[in-house]
């Protein structure tokens, strides 16, 4: 959108049938900070959020109280102030792109993935994309290439310098980095999310998945109970339940995306929720930096994990009444746009990351490291974000990591590869470490990174400059930052309360 606004012709490729990534095809309700309704995101991200609410008000019969609520949350989910059906997210994004699609400025190629890159010197000349259904190849030639793939797929194809997995403390000096040598295949778990609903008295039980016995008995070294359990090591909630119960955290409400009580009676027979829970995080292996057979094996195992969790819920999960199983839990493939009810694409928490001119470290953003001083201030800021360092269980049977942060900025240096001149990262594949990826990987922050990258590419083409020339020149940097501000990107946080109250409030919100 940013590059199109600047008058550029854009070809955008999408691996699935839906544009939107985490917001749609991965079926992950937005993870946001507590001030998102007032500030702390770009103008266009706010347009998206407003567009989702407007879509429900215009097209879905809401109950009067919900229709009039200024901050409508159609799903009523706990994880976010705006939980919604992913199909609505797709519709709103398509509307936002419509002017550029209809005018011919934007071409979207769906169902394709990058397969090859041609380079000369420090520039990418062309990228070949392959249609996943037909095998047909299309060569894309452009002045600039932005990698917004979930796993940073363009980086190895283009010969870019990049990092995967865990850096060593010797390399980054981060207090919570692992000692010893780097572990490039130790990555955050990914999740095959699924959409479910529940109706008492209904029987939607599926057949036993082939890997159910394995997952039913699975217990990682860092877990005190089996994976399929209502107990979990969580800083606030020690026990979970499927449905709302006194003193127990409801996993159904956690990522609920449709609350039937918010709509006119009879509009929705059931409420709908997304299963992206601790019980279906997959940490047995990564989806990239391994051969295709191993990648497919891990993807299939992750799908089996989610289906096995569903079977456990339907047949074996302990109920408060002393019984077992909730037969009325059923998959909702209509919500995910798939035949099996699993999301079109797995939820990826960690990507390949460029070796950048500047890399954001734990010391720049963690509350513990900053000791009440606020985050490191970056003169080359191109946006802001806030979220805890939230690292889920990792491959290699390593536990996750949770650290408080302070509201931070996104430095332009983290978008500049150390060598290639016309490649820009456009999501979580920028200059972050394994640890700081844990707080820069969330919806509004990735949107900000991608939007800034689009403006940077277009502005540099107009100025006939390589992107790194912007950061190295104070006057040019100021001009570019002024453009970002005019276009609705916030480059610094307003005055906020103490860091302690910030993080207490964030935990309360979450």
């Amino acid at each position: 959108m940013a590059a199109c606004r600047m008058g550029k012709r854009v070809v955008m490729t999408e691996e699935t049938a839906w544009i939107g990534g985490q917001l749609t095809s991965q079926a992950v309700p937005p993870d946001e900070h507590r001030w998102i309704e007032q500030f702390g995101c770009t103008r266009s991200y706010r347009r998206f959020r407003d567009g989702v609410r407007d879509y429900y008000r215009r097209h879905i019969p809401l109950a009067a109280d919900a229709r009039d609520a200024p901050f409508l949350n159609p799903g009523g989910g706990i994880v976010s102030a705006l939980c919604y059906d992913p199909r609505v997210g797709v519709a709103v994004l398509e509307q936002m792109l419509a002017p550029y699609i209809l005018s011919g400025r934007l071409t979207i190629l769906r169902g394709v993935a990058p397969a090859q890159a041609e380079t000369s010197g420090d520039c990418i000349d062309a990228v070949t994309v392959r249609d996943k259904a037909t095998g047909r190849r299309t060569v894309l030639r452009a002045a600039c290439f932005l990698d917004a793939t979930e796993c940073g797929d363009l980086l190895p194809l283009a010969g870019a310098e990049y990092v995967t997995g865990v850096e060593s403390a010797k390399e980054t000096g981060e207090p919570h980095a692992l000692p010893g040598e780097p572990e490039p295949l130790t990555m955050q778990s990914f999740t095959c999310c699924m959409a479910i609903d529940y109706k008492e008295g209904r029987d939607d039980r599926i057949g036993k998945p082939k890997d159910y016995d394995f997952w039913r008995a699975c217990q990682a070294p860092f877990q005190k109970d089996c994976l399929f359990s209502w107990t979990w090591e969580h800083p606030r909630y020690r026990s979970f339940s499927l449905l709302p119960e006194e003193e127990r955290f409801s996993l159904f409400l956690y990522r609920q995306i449709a609350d039937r009580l918010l709509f006119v009676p009879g509009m929705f027979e059931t409420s709908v929720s997304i299963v992206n829970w601790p019980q279906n995080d997959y940490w047995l292996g990564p989806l990239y930096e391994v051969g295709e057979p191993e990648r497919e094996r891990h993807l299939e195992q992750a799908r089996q994990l989610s289906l096995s969790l569903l079977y456990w819920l339907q047949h074996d999960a302990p109920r408060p009444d002393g019984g077992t199983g909730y037969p009325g839990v059923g998959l909702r493939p209509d919500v995910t746009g798939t035949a099996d009810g699993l999301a079109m694409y797995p939820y990826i928490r960690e990507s390949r990351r460029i070796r950048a001119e500047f890399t954001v470290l734990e010391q720049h953003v963690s509350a513990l490291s900053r000791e009440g001083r606020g985050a490191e201030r970056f003169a080359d800021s191109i946006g802001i974000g806030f979220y805890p360092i939230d690292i889920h269980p990792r491959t290699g049977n390593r536990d996750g990591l949770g650290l408080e942060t302070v509201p931070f900025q996104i430095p332009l240096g983290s978008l500049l590869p150390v060598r290639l001149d016309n490649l820009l990262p456009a999501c979580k594949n920028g200059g972050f470490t394994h640890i700081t990826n844990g707080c820069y990987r969330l919806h509004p922050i990735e949107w900000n990174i991608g939007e800034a990258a689009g403006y940077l590419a277009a502005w540099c083409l107009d100025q006939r400059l390589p992107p790194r020339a912007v950061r190295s020149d104070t006057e040019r940097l100021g001009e570019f930052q002024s453009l970002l501000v005019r276009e609705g990107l916030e480059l610094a946080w307003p005055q906020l309360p103490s860091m302690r109250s910030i993080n207490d409030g964030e935990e309360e919100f979450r």
Side-chain angles (χ1 to χ4, degrees):
M1 284 189 286
C4 286
R5 285 193 206 109
M6 294 284 286
K8 299 296 175 279
R9 185 181 176 204
V10 177
V11 176
M12 182 173 77
T13 68
E14 166 55 48
E15 195 168 342
T16 74
W18 287 353
I19 63 172
Q22 290 178 191
L23 292 168
T24 59
S25 60
Q26 295 175 41
V28 183
D31 289 297
E32 300 170 332
H33 56 76
R34 60 188 292 218
W35 304 286
I36 194 68
E37 305 293 359
Q38 289 78 39
F39 49 80
C41 67
T42 74
R43 182 189 300 153
S44 66
Y45 185 78
R46 193 167 304 285
R47 280 183 55 217
F48 169 76
R49 298 179 88 256
D50 291 343
V52 168
R53 287 170 169 150
D54 186 59
Y55 188 97
Y56 278 93
R57 291 188 179 107
R58 286 176 177 267
H59 303 296
I60 318 294
L62 290 159
D65 289 349
R67 186 180 62 247
D68 297 336
F71 301 127
L72 170 65
N73 185 355
I78 300 169
V79 73
S80 172
L82 184 64
C83 296
Y84 57 87
D85 190 302
R87 293 171 292 184
V88 174
V90 176
V92 173
L93 289 172
E94 296 278 4
Q95 290 173 347
M96 295 176 74
L97 292 175
Y100 312 116
I101 296 171
L102 296 177
S103 66
R105 190 174 295 174
L106 173 63
T107 300
I108 302 177
L109 304 179
R110 292 175 172 83
V112 304
Q116 182 181 347
E118 302 172 26
T119 62
S120 56
D122 294 334
C123 286
I124 303 174
D125 298 323
V127 172
T128 299
V129 295
R130 178 181 178 274
D131 188 294
K132 297 174 69 175
T134 66
R136 182 175 181 269
R137 291 177 174 251
T138 303
V139 179
L140 306 175
R141 299 189 181 276
C144 191
F145 294 87
L146 283 70
D147 184 352
T149 61
E150 287 298 324
C151 299
D153 292 333
L154 186 55
L155 304 185
L157 297 177
E161 292 79 7
Y162 66 91
V163 181
T164 65
V166 176
E167 298 91 345
S168 72
K170 292 185 295 185
E171 181 181 2
T172 67
E174 293 174 302
H176 289 86
L178 296 180
E181 298 303 312
E183 298 182 11
L185 292 183
T186 298
M187 307 173 190
Q188 277 208 69
S189 54
F190 67 91
T191 303
C192 290
C193 301
M194 56 185 172
I196 61 169
D197 64 3
Y198 175 74
K199 186 173 184 180
E200 188 67 34
R202 191 179 65 187
D203 190 344
D204 269 1
R205 287 177 291 186
I206 63 171
K208 185 177 179 180
K210 64 181 179 66
D211 291 348
Y212 178 72
D213 291 337
F214 170 82
W215 290 115
R216 180 70 179 90
C218 182
Q219 182 175 352
F222 50 82
Q223 294 171 339
K224 70 175 184 179
D225 292 306
C226 288
L227 181 62
F228 293 167
S229 166
W230 290 134
T231 60
W232 205 258
E233 285 296 328
H234 186 277
R236 188 170 182 187
Y237 303 102
R238 299 301 181 189
S239 64
F240 299 116
S241 63
L242 175 63
L243 304 175
E245 297 172 22
E246 187 177 356
E247 297 182 355
R248 302 184 78 188
F249 185 93
S250 168
L251 287 171
F252 195 96
L253 284 180
Y254 181 40
R255 296 184 186 274
Q256 184 174 271
I257 58 167
D259 182 353
R260 66 182 184 86
L261 298 179
L262 295 179
F263 301 88
V264 297
M267 184 67 215
F268 285 85
E269 184 179 6
T270 61
S271 298
V272 181
S273 185
I274 296 295
V275 179
N276 174 18
W277 302 346
Q279 292 92 333
N280 64 329
D281 279 355
Y282 180 86
W283 71 87
L284 295 188
L287 285 182
Y288 54 91
E289 299 299 294
V290 294
E292 186 63 22
E294 188 170 355
R295 178 189 184 278
E296 289 301 317
R297 179 171 66 85
H298 288 309
L299 182 57
E300 176 56 25
Q301 285 183 310
R303 295 170 63 84
Q304 282 287 314
L305 168 58
S306 289
L307 292 173
S308 295
L309 174 59
L310 174 68
Y311 184 89
W312 178 78
L313 289 171
Q314 295 173 331
H315 293 80
D316 298 330
R319 297 177 61 122
D321 60 9
T324 57
Y326 296 82
V329 173
L331 285 168
R332 288 294 301 268
D334 55 323
V335 172
T336 57
T338 59
D340 58 9
L342 301 184
M344 289 183 181
Y345 200 87
Y347 174 28
I348 306 295
R349 296 184 177 89
E350 185 173 333
S351 172
R352 298 177 179 93
R353 306 179 297 278
I354 64 165
R355 289 201 177 274
E357 285 197 359
F358 181 84
T359 300
V360 181
L361 305 176
E362 176 188 344
Q363 300 91 304
H364 297 133
V365 298
S366 84
L368 190 63
S369 294
R370 301 307 298 171
E371 298 179 331
R373 294 169 293 158
E376 185 81 14
R377 293 185 63 84
F378 298 124
D380 62 341
S381 173
I382 48 89
I384 58 177
F386 179 49
Y387 203 77
I389 292 171
D390 179 21
I391 297 178
H392 285 230
R394 295 169 277 191
T395 55
N397 275 332
R398 288 195 179 273
D399 199 358
L401 174 68
L403 294 171
E404 294 180 350
T405 63
V406 288
F408 49 78
Q409 295 171 304
I410 307 165
L412 175 59
S414 66
L415 269 63
L416 302 176
V418 292
R419 182 180 57 83
L420 289 174
D421 287 328
N422 66 338
L423 168 69
L424 293 173
C427 51
K428 53 182 164 281
N429 52 350
F432 315 114
T433 64
H434 170 78
I435 290 178
T436 55
N437 167 79
C439 63
Y440 277 83
R441 65 176 177 82
L442 288 311
H443 304 63
I445 305 170
E446 287 203 56
W447 183 298
N448 189 318
I449 291 169
E451 188 170 0
Y455 281 122
L456 180 62
W459 193 77
C460 286
L461 290 176
D462 287 342
Q463 303 294 319
R464 298 184 179 180
L465 294 170
R468 70 183 74 258
V470 178
R471 182 171 183 257
S472 61
D473 185 298
T474 303
E475 184 175 349
R476 287 170 178 162
L477 176 61
E479 292 175 3
F480 177 62
Q481 289 175 316
S482 295
L483 166 68
L484 296 182
V485 171
R486 289 196 301 272
E487 294 298 327
L489 279 70
E490 300 173 19
L491 306 190
W493 284 91
Q495 186 65 37
L496 295 169
S498 70
M499 295 303 103
R500 170 55 55 185
S501 64
I502 286 172
N503 283 283
D504 285 350
E506 180 71 5
E507 179 61 33
E508 179 68 26
F509 173 75
R510 295 179 67 209

